[in-house]
Amino acid sequence: MNGVQDSTSAAASSQSAQRQVRVQLVSKQEDIALPESTGPILVPTGLRRYALSTLVNNLLGNDKPVPFEFLINGAFLRTSIDEYLTANGISAETTLEIEYIRALIPPLHIASFEHDDWVGSVDVLSATSPATSWASAVVSPGQERILSGSYDGLLRVWNMSSQIVATSPSPADGGHGASIKAAKFVSPNTIVSAGLDRTVRLWKYNESDDGFSGKITPQIELYGHKSGINSLAVHAPSNRILSASADHNIGFWSTKKSDAPAAPENLVPSAASRSSKRRKVSSSVSTPQRGPLALLSSHTAPVSAAIFDTNDSTVGYSTSWDHSLRTWDLVTAALVDTRSTSHSLLSLEHLPEHHLLATGTSARHITLIDPRTSATTISAMTLRGHTNAVVSLSRDPHSSYGLISGSHDGTCRIWDIRATKTDKDGVVGESVYSITRRSLEEQGKADAKRVGGEGVKVFSVCWDRSVGIVSAGEDKRIQINRGEGVLSSA
Amino acid sequence: MSAAKVSKKRKAVTKDVEEEAGVFSGDELNVGDIDGALSDDANDLSSDEEDSEVELVDDFSSDEDDDEEELDSDEIPSDGEAPLKKKSGTSAADLEVPTNDDESSSEEEQPNFRIEKDANGNDRYVYDEINPDDNSDYSDVEENANTIGNIPLSFYDQYPHIGYDINGKKIMRPATGEALDALLDSIEIPKGFTGLTDPSTGKPLELSQDELELLRKVQMNEIPEEGYNPYEPLMEWFSNKQEIMPLSAAPEPKRRFVPSKHEAKRVMKIVKAIREGRILPYKPPSEEKEEDLELINYDLWADEAERPDHPMHVPAPKLPPPGYEESYHPPPEYLPDNKERKAWQEADPEDRDREFLPTDFGSLRKVPGYGEFVKEKFERCLDLYLAPRVRRSKLNIDPESLLPKLPSPEELKPFPSVCATVFRGHKGRVRSLAVDPTGVWLATGGDDGTVRVWELLTGRQLYSVKVGEEDPVNVVRWRPSKDAVVLAAAAGDDIYLIVPPILDPELEQASLDLLDAGWGYAASKPAPKASEEGKKTTPPQWVRPSAALADNGVCAVIPLRYVAKSISWHRRGDYFVAVCPGSSTPASMAIAIHTLSKHLTQYPFSRRIKGGGPPQTAHFHPSKPILFVANQRTVRAYDLSRQLLVKIIQPGARWISSFDIHPTSSTASGGDNLIVGSYDRRLLWHDLELSQRPYKTLRYHRKAIRAVKFHPSGRYPLFADASDDGSLQIFHGSVTGDMLSNASIVPLKVLKGHKITGELGVMDLDWHPREAWCVSAGADGTCRLWM
């Protein structure tokens, strides 16, 4: 590789011995920034990323070379500088400003936590997770917790050494009566979960002092949805929860018992109903039952995801199978805006720095939508690469440009919205890395193509700064991946 | 002769002119003079005119006055010609015999010559031979006429004779009676006495009565001619009346021509333009003359023989001598380079400009034999036999253009293209499946006797109930309404109505209430008599399920006594039709319509449908009260309200497996459209407005087609078929609103994935109610979601 690179660069330098370009190398990260005195450097235009990376490493005097990526005008350099200049019609006379950042290192598999059933949802409690920061609590390194909601109706809290710290009670003791499809930490001591039993449940999570055992006790049962709940969003400072349900409604809930109205009678399973006769749901534990603050109904198909605006908790966004993305004013529970696409939307994530909403579609791609009314086009960019529906999205905690997606094709893909290529449909994003399921590799079928991601579908993905990428899926596992080295130094 | 007079004369008819010619003949000499003068004049004028035409270019306006004059003078020469023509005739006529005029004119009419063509083709005048007969002039001369000629008689005053006769004898002066005669004469003056002596005879000249009369008339200023009426009635030649025929056939004389000033100006413009060079007056002769097809060129030298040299003989042109190119050793510049050589070789023999390719052989002995010799001889033989050789006509048709213009599948997105979810759980074949009206659940039924309900997107099994102990579940269908969720499943001889326990309490209660309502209705009816109980055609009573099934969500069981293989709900969800296609089923019980609200089963058909074997499947029309029933070969439409057979559709298939009715049929957009799938591998599209025969036949599958289905929403114009070859095919079939255009059908996608198990591939398929997603049930025990 090195030899090839050298020979090509030598050839390039001999070919364009006269052609040199003045570049100014800058970095926004202080630990890898060049000293201020470093002026523009004259480099041959034949250089590529690898040669530039070597150059920067030399300038920094690193003993251990750090791979860098280079950005010119906000786009990754994927060709030689010469080709870039030609393609963009930039004169070689000008001083080129090149920003360099650490290259992402392929995330390595750290651990897998095995479950009894499919894992529908996953969340992380760490020093950097939102639940911790909202509660201004301290989670010491090594004491991170991972929450998983499984299709067997149980919530589990794991520590980082793949031990179950706590498990939620069974249906008989006030647990979920059906599969859990969404679970989240509201605070280090509060958990919210929802699933196909149409309820949102708030749990109290207590941990013993040694941190090896804990207890999840039901706190409130929230009734209001008439069909399964697909996703939850939490905003702890305002004590609000958003839920997206297949009954075409979005639930808006309070986490406080006192705030919430009474539960609607007809939706609470009563002793008279057939199901209660059949299964002894009426448990020994009696949990307070509450109703929604508001049900936002405007979608015409199952709602797949609902989130709070990252900056403004009174604004909510929702996506639905009816192809639309809707903006809500949560204070008045009013519909503000509707953006229609051409596919069913299955997941949603907010990228506040770019005023974009990333939404995963059933058509196997991620669409970036600008929700502001001033935006002229519905779709700002499309990220293509998945081979099945994209059902989960999470922000990169390190970069405002990064994004991870979990898909039914059994992979998680890391995206950088600056990494683009020009396709026949315009500018299309490419994934930076793809994380496959460890379970496939263990079975020795890593290369085997699973039709429709059968058995390895990813249902949920969460990217935490300290824990890494946590994903859960049909293979009954939570899988943790981390780009070792780079992330620790960052 | 003034111009005015002449002009007046010209205007008169030609007849007049002839008469006037007689007057002219009186002074022949004058005519000649005038003629000469006028002809000179005319020459001058014509030359003048030429000048003026040239001058026209320079000063046209100044020329106008001259033109006026020329107009006047121009009339004269044409006038002068008329008397000249008459001259031959009039000169022959005698001066003193006016009556001869007629004769002379008749003479003029019959010319004394014939016109013949001479060798050169010119006119030749052949005159008659003069015959000296009695009518000749010589015989006319009197015997004793004086021959002295035209001299005064006074020359003979001193002689006794006054001249000589033709024989030379003296003609003696007649005796002058002198006194006596004078006396007698004075006494008796004879009539016509003039006192003059006739010079030719010497006798006293006596005038005849007629001559006297003539003289008298001259004296009296009367018109001398006899019978001339000076007061003839006026013929108005020129009047305000427009005559149909022109007075004269004579061409319009040039003098009438009044040059147009406007045209002159335009001409001036053009002339000016030519002078300045803006217009090129002469087109350079075009190089290539277009070949005139009608022009026949004769080969003058076709049979040229050797002839002695003669100025009048033009010999045939000789062929050009062979050039350097024909040489066996041409100079290098005549040798073709590789490109030319290749072009020559690739060209068609007819298109080559030369029949040979210049080749360098170095020396004459190296020249090979003529390669085309045998071929040419053969061609020659064919020519002699008159053997027709087929004229090669190039077919320049682009095969692409012959294909019908189909829109590319890319433009017709969305349609299902990849497998998104595999539903695994059934043991044995999955026989039937259906997506519920909300599009969240999928119900399946299979050979293991279970009915299962799955979460559509993830493939999670939510519910399962084993309804058939031994028998497979043949068909599952959701009730097509959202107010209650009911799943109908046929297993063995029974149909089970299931409310799966996956619903919220409210909806579940509504569904249970809907199914329970019928129990009371059924109970209120009189129970069937014992005698009727035994009869096979009695409609079955709905029964409650066993406790185990009831716990699993089964609410009602309809014991049909025969195996139902097809269930189809009415759009409103109160009725469904079940078909038992088994050959052992009595004809009257093969088709049963079940009413949910009354727990009632009816058999609408008492007899077997004629022709085509037992009924296979049946569907309700989406909007009209029409039931479509398919047996093996035909599809029949029955109007349920009027109890009538409305239509018979003959797809031409040998064994119909399934059919579906377009969801927008008979609504806003046109007529009914139907797709029919058959076990003999055909998919047939019927437009019921067009014909009872298929509008289109699609044969794309290698094995039997088991299921066909339109997309139910009408939002996507899609339909699909499932076949035993393990594949599904997705088609775009848009039905247009107007009746003018037919449906356009575009094959979109073949979905492969199901394994063929025991000769069976895909057993059933269904569409998602809103999205362009479809699900398929495979004989390999899996179901697949395609999106």
Side-chain angles (χ1 to χ4, degrees), chain B residues 233-370:
Chain B
L234 179 69
M235 188 82 89
E236 278 197 68
W237 298 110
F238 301 97
S239 66
N240 56 353
K241 269 193 228 161
Q242 180 110 32
E243 301 291 338
I244 293 166
M245 298 297 289
L247 292 176
S248 159
E252 192 84 342
K254 282 185 176 177
R255 64 170 180 277
R256 297 262 180 85
F257 175 73
V258 181
S260 153
K261 290 185 183 179
H262 175 253
E263 275 176 13
K265 273 183 187 170
R266 290 186 61 183
V267 169
M268 277 303 296
K269 250 186 199 171
I270 293 165
V271 166
K272 208 166 187 179
I274 293 169
R275 283 234 177 120
E276 289 173 4
R278 281 186 280 121
I279 294 176
L280 291 175
Y282 298 109
K283 215 168 97 182
S286 58
E287 285 294 313
E288 42 184 348
K289 272 186 189 169
E290 282 190 23
E291 211 163 293
D292 193 358
L293 289 176
E294 290 172 13
L295 195 74
I296 304 160
N297 290 314
Y298 296 100
D299 188 0
L300 293 177
W301 298 297
D303 41 3
E304 175 83 349
E306 196 71 25
R307 284 171 77 173
D309 207 20
H310 193 267
M312 293 305 287
H313 170 62
V314 182
K318 280 176 183 157
L319 278 174
Y324 287 109
E325 295 168 345
E326 277 103 323
S327 165
Y328 68 91
H329 184 46
E333 63 262 33
Y334 290 94
L335 288 171
D337 56 18
N338 280 337
K339 208 167 129 193
E340 286 168 343
R341 187 189 300 275
K342 204 172 163 215
W344 186 87
Q345 278 163 350
E346 280 175 2
D348 203 73
E350 289 167 5
D351 299 339
R352 289 171 184 165
D353 55 348
R354 273 195 309 235
E355 289 169 354
F356 61 92
L357 201 63
T359 320
D360 189 8
F361 290 109
S363 65
L364 191 55
R365 64 188 161 79
K366 289 179 184 162
V367 176
Y370 182 47

Side-chain angles (χ1 to χ4, degrees), chain B residues 360-595:
Chain B
D360 189 8
F361 290 109
S363 65
L364 191 55
R365 64 188 161 79
K366 289 179 184 162
V367 176
Y370 182 47
E372 300 290 297
F373 179 77
V374 176
K375 187 165 177 268
E376 272 184 14
K377 290 290 163 199
F378 176 68
E379 294 274 316
R380 175 73 184 138
C381 290
L382 289 182
D383 279 339
L384 291 172
Y385 281 124
L386 298 174
R389 269 151 291 173
V390 177
R391 199 171 172 84
R392 191 161 48 90
S393 60
K394 283 181 194 166
L395 260 180
N396 269 334
I397 302 169
D398 182 16
E400 291 294 320
S401 67
L402 294 176
L403 292 171
K405 290 277 172 292
L406 286 180
S408 119
E410 281 296 312
E411 298 164 13
L412 301 173
K413 277 185 173 178
F415 56 84
S417 52
V418 294
C419 175
T421 310
V422 180
F423 302 84
R424 220 177 267 276
H426 274 289
K427 292 175 189 70
R429 296 193 280 262
V430 186
R431 294 213 171 197
S432 176
L433 85 178
V435 182
D436 91 297
T438 61
V440 181
W441 299 305
L442 171 73
T444 59
D447 271 5
D448 55 1
T450 57
V451 174
R452 295 168 196 243
V453 177
W454 314 73
E455 198 177 35
L456 182 67
L457 207 57
T458 56
R460 176 80 183 182
Q461 180 185 315
L462 298 176
Y463 165 74
S464 168
V465 62
K466 191 168 173 69
V467 290
E469 290 305 318
E470 300 291 322
D471 310 305
V473 176
N474 281 316
V475 58
V476 286
R477 290 288 178 263
W478 293 94
R479 180 174 175 266
S481 170
K482 289 177 186 172
D483 57 345
V485 177
V486 175
L487 180 63
D493 292 349
D494 304 322
I495 291 174
Y496 298 88
L497 296 173
I498 305 167
V499 179
I502 49 169
L503 313 166
D504 68 294
E506 205 179 18
L507 192 59
E508 188 168 53
Q509 199 54 50
S511 311
L512 290 173
D513 290 347
L514 179 82
L515 283 179
D516 285 343
W519 295 121
Y521 185 90
S524 70
K525 269 202 315 181
K529 289 170 192 164
S531 57
E532 286 174 359
E533 197 79 58
K535 268 173 75 181
K536 279 194 159 183
T537 51
T538 322
Q541 293 288 310
W542 294 25
V543 295
R544 289 185 190 272
S546 64
L549 285 177
D551 264 1
N552 267 318
V554 181
C555 290
V557 179
I558 308 167
L560 270 183
R561 298 198 285 272
Y562 298 98
V563 180
K565 293 243 167 136
S566 154
I567 290 176
S568 180
W569 284 87
H570 185 254
R571 154 184 64 94
R572 263 185 262 142
D574 197 23
Y575 305 97
F576 66 93
V577 60
V579 180
C580 306
S583 52
S584 61
T585 316
S588 62
M589 295 170 74
I591 299 165
I593 293 179
H594 308 274
T595 312

Side-chain angles (χ1 to χ4, degrees), chain A residues 148-318:
Chain A
S148 70
S150 169
Y151 270 72
D152 57 7
L154 297 179
L155 290 167
R156 292 179 181 83
V157 179
W158 304 73
N159 64 13
M160 293 306 288
S161 8
S162 78
Q163 289 164 318
I164 299 174
V165 179
T167 309
S168 70
S170 64
D173 300 324
H176 274 291
S179 307
I180 294 172
K181 298 199 84 177
K184 277 217 158 42
F185 279 109
V186 181
S187 73
N189 294 318
T190 318
I191 293 169
V192 63
S193 66
L196 292 178
D197 64 352
R198 305 173 292 280
T199 58
V200 179
R201 285 166 198 253
L202 274 164
W203 310 84
K204 193 148 193 71
Y205 171 60
N206 289 314
E207 213 171 278
S208 63
D209 294 337
D210 58 356
F212 286 106
S213 66
K215 200 166 173 15
I216 301 173
T217 45
Q219 210 173 16
I220 313 176
E221 287 177 9
L222 298 168
Y223 289 91
H225 282 304
K226 293 179 179 174
S227 191
I229 293 161
N230 289 320
S231 86
L232 286 172
V234 177
H235 191 253
S238 58
N239 299 316
R240 291 293 182 266
I241 299 169
L242 276 177
S243 65
S245 165
D247 64 359
H248 310 183
N249 290 334
I250 299 150
F252 187 46
W253 318 82
S254 168
T255 58
K256 284 192 173 165
K257 225 179 290 179
S258 51
D259 284 1
E265 280 301 316
N266 57 347
L267 294 175
V268 177
S270 60
S273 92
R274 182 182 62 149
S275 49
S276 61
K277 243 190 290 175
R278 198 153 33 81
R279 304 177 204 153
K280 296 286 178 216
V281 173
S282 49
S283 56
S284 52
V285 193
S286 75
T287 316
Q289 295 169 338
R290 291 292 181 266
L293 292 172
L295 278 178
L296 315 176
S297 53
S298 150
H299 282 292
T300 57
V303 185
S304 55
I307 57 163
F308 288 99
D309 189 292
T310 315
N311 302 323
D312 182 2
S313 67
T314 63
V315 175
Y317 304 107
S318 66

Side-chain angles (χ1 to χ4, degrees), chain B residues 177-192:
Chain B
E178 293 290 315
L180 177 64
D181 284 350
L183 178 71
L184 285 174
D185 289 348
S186 65
I187 294 164
E188 190 181 1
I189 297 168
K191 192 109 170 146

Side-chain angles (χ1 to χ4, degrees), chain A residues 87-104:
Chain A
N88 289 281
I90 300 170
S91 160
E93 307 282 318
T94 56
T95 302
L96 211 57
E97 185 161 310
I98 302 184
E99 187 190 345
Y100 61 94
I101 53 167
R102 277 195 179 81
L104 269 175

